[in-house]
PDB file of all heavy atoms in Angstrom:
ATOM      1  N   GLU P  82      64.227  62.576  89.646  1.00 97.00           N
ATOM      2  CA  GLU P  82      63.384  63.671  90.130  1.00 97.00           C
ATOM      3  C   GLU P  82      62.780  63.382  91.503  1.00 97.00           C
ATOM      4  O   GLU P  82      62.183  64.259  92.109  1.00 97.00           O
ATOM      5  CB  GLU P  82      62.260  63.957  89.126  1.00 97.00           C
ATOM      6  CG  GLU P  82      62.755  64.353  87.741  1.00 97.00           C
ATOM      7  CD  GLU P  82      63.694  65.541  87.767  1.00 97.00           C
ATOM      8  OE1 GLU P  82      63.456  66.476  88.560  1.00 97.00           O
ATOM      9  OE2 GLU P  82      64.668  65.533  86.989  1.00 97.00           O
ATOM     10  N   GLN P  83      62.922  62.144  91.984  1.00 97.00           N
ATOM     11  CA  GLN P  83      62.430  61.756  93.318  1.00 97.00           C
ATOM     12  C   GLN P  83      60.996  62.253  93.561  1.00 97.00           C
ATOM     13  O   GLN P  83      60.742  63.060  94.447  1.00 97.00           O
ATOM     14  CB  GLN P  83      63.367  62.282  94.403  1.00 97.00           C
ATOM     15  CG  GLN P  83      64.745  61.636  94.381  1.00 97.00           C
ATOM     16  CD  GLN P  83      65.594  62.026  95.580  1.00 97.00           C
ATOM     17  OE1 GLN P  83      65.686  63.201  95.932  1.00 97.00           O
ATOM     18  NE2 GLN P  83      66.202  61.045  96.201  1.00 97.00           N
ATOM     19  N   LEU P  84      60.076  61.741  92.765  1.00 98.00           N
ATOM     20  CA  LEU P  84      58.685  62.160  92.882  1.00 98.00           C
ATOM     21  C   LEU P  84      58.045  61.714  94.189  1.00 98.00           C
ATOM     22  O   LEU P  84      57.102  62.346  94.665  1.00 98.00           O
ATOM     23  CB  LEU P  84      57.871  61.637  91.695  1.00 98.00           C
ATOM     24  CG  LEU P  84      58.358  62.036  90.296  1.00 98.00           C
ATOM     25  CD1 LEU P  84      57.297  61.693  89.266  1.00 98.00           C
ATOM     26  CD2 LEU P  84      58.721  63.505  90.224  1.00 98.00           C
ATOM     27  N   TRP P  85      58.542  60.616  94.756  1.00 98.00           N
ATOM     28  CA  TRP P  85      58.138  60.199  96.100  1.00 98.00           C
ATOM     29  C   TRP P  85      59.188  60.674  97.108  1.00 98.00           C
ATOM     30  O   TRP P  85      60.329  60.937  96.721  1.00 98.00           O
ATOM     31  CB  TRP P  85      58.016  58.684  96.188  1.00 98.00           C
ATOM     32  CG  TRP P  85      56.903  58.060  95.417  1.00 98.00           C
ATOM     33  CD1 TRP P  85      57.012  57.213  94.350  1.00 98.00           C
ATOM     34  CD2 TRP P  85      55.499  58.207  95.638  1.00 98.00           C
ATOM     35  NE1 TRP P  85      55.778  56.823  93.906  1.00 98.00           N
ATOM     36  CE2 TRP P  85      54.823  57.415  94.678  1.00 98.00           C
ATOM     37  CE3 TRP P  85      54.742  58.943  96.563  1.00 98.00           C
ATOM     38  CZ2 TRP P  85      53.434  57.343  94.608  1.00 98.00           C
ATOM     39  CZ3 TRP P  85      53.355  58.858  96.502  1.00 98.00           C
ATOM     40  CH2 TRP P  85      52.713  58.068  95.535  1.00 98.00           C
ATOM     41  N   PRO P  86      58.854  60.756  98.397  1.00 98.00           N
ATOM     42  CA  PRO P  86      59.861  61.101  99.405  1.00 98.00           C
ATOM     43  C   PRO P  86      61.030  60.123  99.362  1.00 98.00           C
ATOM     44  O   PRO P  86      60.870  58.942  99.046  1.00 98.00           O
ATOM     45  CB  PRO P  86      59.091  61.000 100.717  1.00 98.00           C
ATOM     46  CG  PRO P  86      57.668  61.244 100.343  1.00 98.00           C
ATOM     47  CD  PRO P  86      57.510  60.631  98.988  1.00 98.00           C
ATOM     48  N   SER P  87      62.212  60.605  99.699  1.00 96.00           N
ATOM     49  CA  SER P  87      63.414  59.767  99.612  1.00 96.00           C
ATOM     50  C   SER P  87      63.516  58.758 100.757  1.00 96.00           C
ATOM     51  O   SER P  87      64.050  57.664 100.581  1.00 96.00           O
ATOM     52  CB  SER P  87      64.659  60.651  99.596  1.00 96.00           C
ATOM     53  OG  SER P  87      64.688  61.508 100.722  1.00 96.00           O
ATOM     54  N   ASP P  88      62.992  59.092 101.936  1.00 98.00           N
ATOM     55  CA  ASP P  88      63.042  58.192 103.088  1.00 98.00           C
ATOM     56  C   ASP P  88      62.083  57.020 102.880  1.00 98.00           C
ATOM     57  O   ASP P  88      60.947  57.200 102.421  1.00 98.00           O
ATOM     58  CB  ASP P  88      62.663  58.961 104.353  1.00 98.00           C
ATOM     59  CG  ASP P  88      62.607  58.075 105.577  1.00 98.00           C
ATOM     60  OD1 ASP P  88      63.679  57.704 106.102  1.00 98.00           O
ATOM     61  OD2 ASP P  88      61.479  57.729 106.001  1.00 98.00           O
ATOM     62  N   ILE P  89      62.506  55.812 103.232  1.00 98.00           N
ATOM     63  CA  ILE P  89      61.708  54.612 102.979  1.00 98.00           C
ATOM     64  C   ILE P  89      60.348  54.671 103.665  1.00 98.00           C
ATOM     65  O   ILE P  89      59.307  54.403 103.048  1.00 98.00           O
ATOM     66  CB  ILE P  89      62.466  53.343 103.419  1.00 98.00           C
ATOM     67  CG1 ILE P  89      63.680  53.118 102.515  1.00 98.00           C
ATOM     68  CG2 ILE P  89      61.552  52.117 103.376  1.00 98.00           C
ATOM     69  CD1 ILE P  89      64.532  51.933 102.931  1.00 98.00           C
ATOM     70  N   PHE P  90      60.331  55.010 104.962  1.00 98.00           N
ATOM     71  CA  PHE P  90      59.054  55.041 105.674  1.00 98.00           C
ATOM     72  C   PHE P  90      58.171  56.176 105.161  1.00 98.00           C
ATOM     73  O   PHE P  90      56.961  55.996 104.980  1.00 98.00           O
ATOM     74  CB  PHE P  90      59.262  55.189 107.180  1.00 98.00           C
ATOM     75  CG  PHE P  90      57.963  55.213 107.942  1.00 98.00           C
ATOM     76  CD1 PHE P  90      57.280  54.044 108.207  1.00 98.00           C
ATOM     77  CD2 PHE P  90      57.403  56.417 108.361  1.00 98.00           C
ATOM     78  CE1 PHE P  90      56.064  54.059 108.879  1.00 98.00           C
ATOM     79  CE2 PHE P  90      56.189  56.443 109.033  1.00 98.00           C
ATOM     80  CZ  PHE P  90      55.518  55.257 109.303  1.00 98.00           C
ATOM     81  N   ALA P  91      58.771  57.332 104.954  1.00 98.00           N
ATOM     82  CA  ALA P  91      57.994  58.459 104.439  1.00 98.00           C
ATOM     83  C   ALA P  91      57.403  58.117 103.072  1.00 98.00           C
ATOM     84  O   ALA P  91      56.253  58.472 102.770  1.00 98.00           O
ATOM     85  CB  ALA P  91      58.867  59.706 104.356  1.00 98.00           C
ATOM     86  N   ARG P  92      58.187  57.428 102.263  1.00 98.00           N
ATOM     87  CA  ARG P  92      57.701  57.029 100.938  1.00 98.00           C
ATOM     88  C   ARG P  92      56.525  56.071 101.049  1.00 98.00           C
ATOM     89  O   ARG P  92      55.530  56.193 100.322  1.00 98.00           O
ATOM     90  CB  ARG P  92      58.840  56.402 100.146  1.00 98.00           C
ATOM     91  CG  ARG P  92      58.508  56.123  98.699  1.00 98.00           C
ATOM     92  CD  ARG P  92      59.766  55.939  97.850  1.00 98.00           C
ATOM     93  NE  ARG P  92      60.591  54.811  98.266  1.00 98.00           N
ATOM     94  CZ  ARG P  92      61.792  54.932  98.838  1.00 98.00           C
ATOM     95  NH1 ARG P  92      62.299  56.125  99.104  1.00 98.00           N
ATOM     96  NH2 ARG P  92      62.488  53.863  99.161  1.00 98.00           N
ATOM     97  N   ALA P  93      56.600  55.132 101.959  1.00 98.00           N
ATOM     98  CA  ALA P  93      55.487  54.202 102.175  1.00 98.00           C
ATOM     99  C   ALA P  93      54.259  54.949 102.677  1.00 98.00           C
ATOM    100  O   ALA P  93      53.123  54.657 102.258  1.00 98.00           O
ATOM    101  CB  ALA P  93      55.891  53.121 103.177  1.00 98.00           C
ATOM    102  N   GLN P  94      54.461  55.897 103.572  1.00 98.00           N
ATOM    103  CA  GLN P  94      53.342  56.680 104.085  1.00 98.00           C
ATOM    104  C   GLN P  94      52.707  57.517 102.973  1.00 98.00           C
ATOM    105  O   GLN P  94      51.486  57.645 102.898  1.00 98.00           O
ATOM    106  CB  GLN P  94      53.815  57.598 105.214  1.00 98.00           C
ATOM    107  CG  GLN P  94      52.730  58.505 105.790  1.00 98.00           C
ATOM    108  CD  GLN P  94      51.583  57.716 106.404  1.00 98.00           C
ATOM    109  OE1 GLN P  94      51.774  56.655 106.974  1.00 98.00           O
ATOM    110  NE2 GLN P  94      50.371  58.246 106.274  1.00 98.00           N
ATOM    111  N   ALA P  95      53.543  58.071 102.105  1.00 98.00           N
ATOM    112  CA  ALA P  95      53.015  58.860 100.987  1.00 98.00           C
ATOM    113  C   ALA P  95      52.170  57.993 100.064  1.00 98.00           C
ATOM    114  O   ALA P  95      51.083  58.383  99.631  1.00 98.00           O
ATOM    115  CB  ALA P  95      54.161  59.502 100.213  1.00 98.00           C
ATOM    116  N   ARG P  96      52.671  56.800  99.765  1.00 98.00           N
ATOM    117  CA  ARG P  96      51.904  55.889  98.911  1.00 98.00           C
ATOM    118  C   ARG P  96      50.594  55.482  99.591  1.00 98.00           C
ATOM    119  O   ARG P  96      49.541  55.387  98.944  1.00 98.00           O
ATOM    120  CB  ARG P  96      52.746  54.651  98.591  1.00 98.00           C
ATOM    121  CG  ARG P  96      53.796  54.877  97.511  1.00 98.00           C
ATOM    122  CD  ARG P  96      54.348  53.540  97.041  1.00 98.00           C
ATOM    123  NE  ARG P  96      55.080  53.665  95.795  1.00 98.00           N
ATOM    124  CZ  ARG P  96      56.404  53.642  95.694  1.00 98.00           C
ATOM    125  NH1 ARG P  96      57.142  53.530  96.794  1.00 98.00           N
ATOM    126  NH2 ARG P  96      57.001  53.734  94.519  1.00 98.00           N
ATOM    127  N   SER P  97      50.657  55.214 100.870  1.00 98.00           N
ATOM    128  CA  SER P  97      49.453  54.847 101.610  1.00 98.00           C
ATOM    129  C   SER P  97      48.429  55.977 101.583  1.00 98.00           C
ATOM    130  O   SER P  97      47.234  55.753 101.360  1.00 98.00           O
ATOM    131  CB  SER P  97      49.818  54.505 103.062  1.00 98.00           C
ATOM    132  OG  SER P  97      48.650  54.325 103.840  1.00 98.00           O
TER     133      SER P  97
END
Side-chain angles (χ1 to χ4, degrees):
E82 300 305 321
Q83 293 188 313
L84 303 192
W85 292 115
S87 56
D88 176 76
I89 292 177
F90 180 79
R92 188 161 62 249
Q94 178 61 35
R96 282 193 165 104
S97 172

